[in-house]
Each structure stands twice: as C-alpha cells, then as structure tokens.
Amino acid sequence: QVQLQESGPGLVKPSETLSLTCAVSGYSISSGYYWGWIRQPPGQGLEWIGSVSHSGTTYYNPSLKSRVTISVDTSKNQFSLKLYSVTAADTAVYYCARPTRRDSTSSGFDIWGQGTMVTVCS
Amino acid sequence: QSALTQPASVSGSPGQSITISCTGSSGDVGGYNFVSWYQQHPGKAPKLMIFGVSNRPSGVSDRFSGSKSGNTASLTISGLEAEDEADYYCSSYTSSSTQIFGGGTKLTVL
C-alpha cells in the first residue's frame, strides 16, 4: 500500500524559505511517476504547485515558477518542495500526491498525503 | 493560468441527481481528455472520484459519473446521499504540461 507523508516546519517567517518533504512508503520513487505538490489556503480552493519525475524533470505552476523548486531524492525515497520569499498569502495546507498515470503529468492524483499546515507569520 | 470555472454551490435532496460544471478553454479542458474530479470533506485530503473525464477509480460508487462537451466538463451524482455533501473540485491537464484546478463547488444535500 502506497503512503505519502509530508513533514516540515509549521511556521515560517515572511521572506524566508518554506521547505517540505514528502516521504513515500510502499513504492520506490525510482520506478516512475510524476510526484506532485498541491496547496490549499484556509477556506479556499486547491492550487497545483508542481510535479517532479523520478529522474528529476520538473513542471511548475507558472504563477509560482519563479519562487519554487521541487526535487527528488531516490536514495531516501522522498521528494521535496522549496518555496522562496514567502508571504502571508503562502499560508496553506500543503499536500503531496501521486497521479494515476506513471508517465506524465496529465492524470489526476489518486494517492494523497494527509497534508501539513504551514503558516507564514513573523 | 486562470482557475477553471465552477459554480460556487449546488444543492439537491436525497435521491435526486445533481450536475456540477467545470469550464475551461481549448488549452485545457477542451483540448485533452484529462479531466479529473475530487471530493473533499472538511479537514480531509481530496479524494479522486473521476479521472480521464469519465473513469472511476476502484472503490468509487457508480453514482458518480463524468462527461465533457467542448470546453466544459461535468460531474453528475445520482441518487444523492447525505455523505455526498462535500466540496468538489475539477482539474485538467493543460497545453503547458501543467495541472489546473477549478475554484471548487460546495454541494449541500438538503
């Protein structure tokens, strides 16, 4: 059974970098898929942040591209999100997820982590 | 990229059917058969209900169905049940190899 678990600081100061990790169990990241990050501000809708392949190929939301880096660490079977120069608008629940299709970013996400709340506040 | 357009809310009585629309453009919904629908209960992670416009993951009730016409996709829930009350989001693949979500629709079961 594939499981995803987000981890990282729950509080980040404005202008600093938000860093989260998603640990994958029950499946080897090296075997495929484009692993994704999605966020949801309090009381608002979902926003796709970006996805990374097992080989490190990345795709980002154009609105966040200048501030985001998503990377993969196959040795630790995890992938990570870095969001730079955060503001209060980046306060959200951050989810990591795996899509249904192994070979592209085209499909929906059928396996999700439980989500982690990150608050940007001084 | 602008969010896909969904109605803010829909409602229906138990046993009835409802449809939620999701409107995009030829660069996303209209251009690809890669529309997904998610159900989200308060405080929970989203659950995939439909992928590839009309496919149901294993374990999802056949009361949920999806379709698409032009730049608009639709999710239909038949035989409404109290447990269907939740937020629903559509998403689509785009011409930039990205994903885009709709703004979400709150379903109330009367």
Side-chain angles (χ1 to χ4, degrees):
Chain A
Q1 180 182 357
V2 181
Q3 293 184 315
L4 283 66
Q5 179 68 58
E6 306 90 349
S7 62
L11 185 63
V12 182
K13 290 182 168 58
S15 80
E16 296 190 344
T17 298
L18 180 159
S19 296
L20 296 174
T21 296
C22 181
V24 180
S25 59
Y27 185 83
S28 172
I29 281 186
S30 300
S31 297
Y33 289 97
Y34 278 81
W35 304 84
W37 286 99
I38 299 99
R39 71 179 183 178
Q40 184 172 35
Q44 297 184 42
L46 300 169
E47 180 179 37
W48 178 78
I49 299 171
S51 296
V52 61
S53 75
H54 63 287
S55 61
T57 301
T58 52
Y59 294 92
Y60 298 127
N61 185 324
S63 67
L64 297 170
K65 187 173 184 176
S66 64
R67 298 195 294 128
V68 172
T69 297
I70 298 175
S71 58
V72 63
D73 187 339
T74 55
S75 67
K76 295 182 179 179
N77 215 41
Q78 64 186 31
F79 59 106
S80 300
L81 167 70
K82 289 188 184 295
L83 182 63
Y84 308 100
S85 303
V86 298
T87 70
D90 295 310
T91 294
V93 175
Y94 286 76
Y95 295 99
C96 57
R98 193 190 82 169
T100 58
R101 284 187 61 170
R102 179 185 301 227
D103 58 349
S104 80
T105 59
S106 61
S107 66
F109 297 97
D110 62 340
I111 301 176
W112 292 67
Q114 65 185 26
T116 187
M117 181 68 199
V118 179
T119 301
V120 178
C121 179
S122 56
Chain B
Q1 51 189 28
S2 300
L4 305 176
T5 300
Q6 298 181 233
S9 63
V10 298
S11 63
S13 299
Q16 289 186 331
S17 294
I18 63 94
T19 296
I20 300 172
S21 62
C22 171
T23 301
S25 69
S26 58
D28 39 65
V29 174
Y32 306 91
N33 288 323
F34 293 127
V35 176
S36 300
W37 289 92
Y38 300 87
Q39 176 191 67
Q40 186 180 34
H41 287 109
K44 300 294 187 181
K47 175 185 177 183
L48 183 67
M49 306 302 283
I50 296 287
F51 67 95
V53 174
S54 59
N55 300 290
R56 280 187 308 275
S58 175
V60 172
S61 171
D62 60 4
R63 298 186 298 104
F64 292 82
S65 62
S67 62
K68 191 186 82 166
S69 178
N71 295 337
T72 298
S74 299
L75 172 71
T76 297
I77 309 174
S78 59
L80 268 181
E81 299 179 358
E83 65 191 37
D84 298 332
E85 185 162 295
D87 293 326
Y88 290 84
Y89 294 91
C90 63
S91 73
S92 176
Y93 181 66
T94 80
S95 57
S96 302
S97 300
T98 62
Q99 286 276 336
I100 186 169
F101 282 96
T105 298
K106 181 176 180 61
L107 169 61
T108 300
V109 180
L110 302 170

